């Protein structure tokens, strides 16, 4: 997605500039930098997704993407459940009104207190190994425990984060899963289904659909070995958003059509088994922008720099990781810069650290100290996934509008 | 440095196992994971450095490496001053008894409140541009302000972090520095000297010595253009510690000998100018270990995994960055594993994130769930530089022994 489209959507830098004025007001009220979450965008995305997908497919939100309570509260009534990665994420979900029935807990390194929290509210525990199942039985001490088994598939979704295929620490290898399922039958656990997560942040609808189809086939093969009929099959996520130059949005109608076919096949092949997808970035990524102020501009040996008042301490994924991906960068615009001349600049954070860089060699409207700069697509893995204490600078404000 | 030497130094895993017992006790008392700072190692390092270097060279501690108050308190009486990157770091330094005279503030993105804090206590402001100088004058409103000028040198120290040479956002290009110095003369600022930081984390004593010599020559060339005689020249840091396989410790005696020559030359070429070095990692890195517990072990398609109860959320530099550096890893040992068989394992953190990996294909004593694992060389850029809130897992305890 091009920054220009986002500028239009966010109404930043147009001739009449309504967005720019608002962003400047927020900067006055809350200081800079700040994250701005636009509730209407969040709601629209969740509702559009819900409307596009077949009714039988449950949508789960992956809290790790953005655990802000305001975000959780908006999504609580618009998705079917949340997936959490820790006891604290689970507490946040409960605080937003979700019952334990609507929660699942996933992760290869659950602590005893994580499992205890899941047991306490009746959340589904996505088991990553037989050892974990046995540990859960000990902790449950006779209480009911809802579980599913995470399977490491023999395929992967080619995307940013490959989390299936080959040797992995996530889940149980598919070729071992049958045996583990049979062992689970001997444990006092309430078995519900399977969980497969072949990859994340993919923009290719057909690739996601293929992985989902393969996941269904895998589940169909394993179902006869399960302790009981499969009641749920989590297909994982993988729905990406365009963050870097040249990327195009996921073709949701195309993917939804494939998922309608898939749901039909599942109804025949696995009767009584509900399908689910688990999304983070796709639900929240585009509803949030990060706004920082230009602290300084300088020229060094022919190269122009803008230095913002926030950087990797607030938004690690958009900056620090840059080192490895060279010239790729999140979409960035100068607030109110619509009519200005364009220059080529390197945009940096304030830290005395070489990898605190937002963008290198970026074509950007000329900006001066005091101007605001907006980084779009910032809703997932933002402040919550960043080293906020590094160099003990102020945290970014969180503004929910 | 080989993990075996560190195991010996930390008395972990030897036949009589005194360190192991102690680490296990601390785990019982404080929970896991925890960072263990050993004050005696911290003190010995600072004192050994002080003893090796010529008396005229001031040693400054770079607080960004580790801002724990217990660390600052130990170093407060053993180094000449602290360099800070923000108002909050400055407050920590003052709380540990340093006067403003012993503080400097560096960084390309200082906020107004950072500069105000420096002005308020008389800290040296290391100017990164003429614009910053003018901003400081406005904020000072007639109050005295101590300043030095950071110069981006025409050379760099080949090391992990290259922060000099070529176009940079740090400081003023050396070829512009003369003009900027002359402009500074017209501003009501108390000019004290120059600051050059050509790179960090270098293990080659000769390379550091060459960069220091080049820095002196640069300063000698600029001195006639300065608003007054140079009273201080900060040579930067660059003293590394061995963290990855095959690395050997910095040859401090060799570097100290070169610095003795350098100090002699400086006394002649820049009479009245005190030399300083600014170190973070070298002072604190080896005094701290990170201790985590094995939550799970598993085998996937022929590969063995250990999953610890902490990962990139606590120690980003030792894990997340791994993606880019392949098989390199910090020195790691199993506590009490001295007599056990060795296996090849991939050591992971607990997060459901693909880059939460401590080490791949590591030869390590066989470990079981419940065992403790120790990561050495963890004192710099540890918890303070890590995304502690990611997935809302518990923070690592900080234990000062």
């Amino acid at each position: 997605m091009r920054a220009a489209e986002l500028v239009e959507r966010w109404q930043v830098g147009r001739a009449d500039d309504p967005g720019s004025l608002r962003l400047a007001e927020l900067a006055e009220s809350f200081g800079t930098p700040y994250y701005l979450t636009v509730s209407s965008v969040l709601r629209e995305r969740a509702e559009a997704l819900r409307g596009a997908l077949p009714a039988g497919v449950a949508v789960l939100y992956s809290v790790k993407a953005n655990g802000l309570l305001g975000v959780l509260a908006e999504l609580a009534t618009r998705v079917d459940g949340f997936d959490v990665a820790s006891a604290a994420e689970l507490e946040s979900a409960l605080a937003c009104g979700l019952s334990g029935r609507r929660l699942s807990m996933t992760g290869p390194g659950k602590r005893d207190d994580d499992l205890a929290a899941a047991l306490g509210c009746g959340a589904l525990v996505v088991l990553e190994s037989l050892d974990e199942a046995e540990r859960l039985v000990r902790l449950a001490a006779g209480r009911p425990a809802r579980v599913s088994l995470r399977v490491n598939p023999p395929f992967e979704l080619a995307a940013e984060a490959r989390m299936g295929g080959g040797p992995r620490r996530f889940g149980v290898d598919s070729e071992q899963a049958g045996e583990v399922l049979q062992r689970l039958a001997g444990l006092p656990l309430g078995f519900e289904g399977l969980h497969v997560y072949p990859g994340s942040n993919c923009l290719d609808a057909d690739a996601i659909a293929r992985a989902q189809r393969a996941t269904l086939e895998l589940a169909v093969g394993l179902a006869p070995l399960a302790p009981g009929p499969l009641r749920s099959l989590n297909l994982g996520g993988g729905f990406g958003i365009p963050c870097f130059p040249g990327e195009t949005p996921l073709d949701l109608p195309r993917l939804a059509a494939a998922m309608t076919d898939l749901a039909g096949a599942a109804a025949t092949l696995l009767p009584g088994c509900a399908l689910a997808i688990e999304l983070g970035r796709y639900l929240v990524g585009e509803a949030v922008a990060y706004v920082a102020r230009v602290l300084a501009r300088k020229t060094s040996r022919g190269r122009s720099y803008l230095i913002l008042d926030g950087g990797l301490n607030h938004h690690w994924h958009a900056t620090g990781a840059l080192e490895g991906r060279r010239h790729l960068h999140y979409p960035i615009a100068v607030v109110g810069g619509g009519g200005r001349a364009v220059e080529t600049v390197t945009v940096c954070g304030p830290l005395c650290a070489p990898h605190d860089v937002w963008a290198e060699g970026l074509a950007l409207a000329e900006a001066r100290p005091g101007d605001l700069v907006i980084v779009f697509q910032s809703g997932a893995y933002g402040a919550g996934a960043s080293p906020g204490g590094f160099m003990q600078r102020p945290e970014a404000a969180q503004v929910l509008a």
Side-chain angles (χ1 to χ4, degrees), chain A:
Chain A
M1 179 165 300
R2 293 173 311 121
E5 293 167 39
L6 291 160
V7 163
E8 178 68 19
R9 182 200 295 175
W10 284 74
Q11 301 188 309
V12 173
R14 302 191 321 185
D16 55 349
D17 251 359
S20 305
L21 289 170
R22 185 150 161 272
L23 294 171
E25 277 168 28
L26 294 172
E28 284 301 313
S29 299
F30 296 97
T32 56
Y34 63 88
Y35 277 96
L36 174 62
T37 302
V38 181
S39 304
S40 60
V41 177
L42 193 58
R43 286 194 294 268
E44 283 159 21
R45 170 55 66 100
E47 287 161 7
L49 180 71
R50 184 66 280 167
L53 295 183
V57 176
V59 175
L60 308 181
Y61 173 59
S62 184
V63 174
K64 69 169 77 70
N66 185 329
L68 203 68
L69 286 176
V71 167
L72 301 187
E74 288 291 347
L75 292 175
T77 56
R78 292 180 176 84
V79 300
D80 298 287
F82 288 179
D83 182 74
V84 299
S86 65
E89 284 193 359
L90 184 143
E91 290 301 322
S92 294
L94 294 175
C96 290
L98 276 85
S99 67
R101 297 293 307 175
R102 293 172 63 200
L103 300 179
S104 60
M105 179 180 281
T106 310
K110 302 183 197 79
R111 299 165 63 103
D112 283 357
D113 49 4
D114 296 323
L115 293 172
L119 282 166
C121 70
L124 180 74
V125 175
V126 182
L127 297 170
E128 306 260 353
S129 70
L130 188 61
D131 285 349
E132 191 176 65
E134 290 167 349
R135 186 154 59 103
L136 183 66
V137 168
R138 288 195 299 277
L139 288 165
R143 286 178 293 173
R146 299 169 55 220
V147 302
S148 67
L149 181 66
R150 182 170 181 174
V151 178
N152 177 25
F155 53 86
E156 67 180 342
L157 176 60
E160 182 186 277
R162 297 176 183 205
M163 295 168 77
R168 301 282 161 182
R169 66 188 182 280
F170 305 110
V172 170
D173 295 342
S174 51
E175 57 273 28
Q176 306 294 332
E179 186 189 332
V180 172
L181 285 167
Q182 291 176 308
R183 298 279 294 277
L184 285 180
L187 295 175
L189 295 169
F191 177 81
E192 300 202 353
L194 299 173
H195 182 292
V196 178
Y197 204 99
S200 72
N201 202 16
C202 178
L203 293 168
D204 180 345
D206 293 340
I208 297 172
R210 280 195 302 274
Q212 291 179 337
R213 173 65 68 165
T215 297
L216 177 62
E217 289 166 8
L218 177 61
V220 168
L222 290 171
L225 304 165
L230 294 193
R231 284 188 277 155
S232 69
L233 172 60
N234 187 324
L235 302 164
F239 293 34
I241 62 170
C243 285
F244 299 120
E247 292 184 342
T248 51
L250 180 66
D251 186 342
L252 183 65
R254 185 177 178 91
L255 179 53
M259 290 181 72
T260 301
D261 293 346
L262 188 79
T268 305
L269 296 166
L270 294 173
C273 178
L275 300 181
I277 53 169
E278 183 184 312
L279 304 176
R281 196 184 323 251
Y282 189 77
L283 282 167
V284 298
E286 302 196 351
V288 182
Y290 174 83
V291 180
R293 204 180 282 284
V294 178
L295 274 176
R297 59 172 296 145
K298 65 198 299 183
T299 302
S300 169
R301 294 173 184 147
R303 192 178 296 179
S304 295
Y305 293 86
L306 292 180
I307 299 171
L308 310 186
D309 60 358
L312 74 86
N313 52 327
H314 297 151
H315 205 343
W316 170 32
H317 279 255
T319 53
L322 195 64
E323 248 193 337
R325 63 179 190 245
R326 309 294 304 156
H327 296 290
L328 296 181
H329 56 83
Y330 274 44
I332 298 178
V334 175
V335 174
R340 299 188 196 168
V342 168
E343 63 177 350
T344 299
V345 290
T346 293
V347 184
C348 303
L351 302 186
C352 204
H355 44 306
D356 191 23
V357 177
W358 292 95
E360 289 179 5
L362 179 69
L364 195 69
E366 283 182 0
R368 296 172 293 263
D371 283 345
L372 298 175
V373 167
I374 182 166
V375 182
F376 302 103
Q377 311 293 77
S378 295
Y381 307 107
S386 298
F390 193 31
M391 303 198 197
Q392 300 184 32
R393 296 177 66 91
E395 295 206 357
Q398 290 283 358
V399 182
L400 188 64

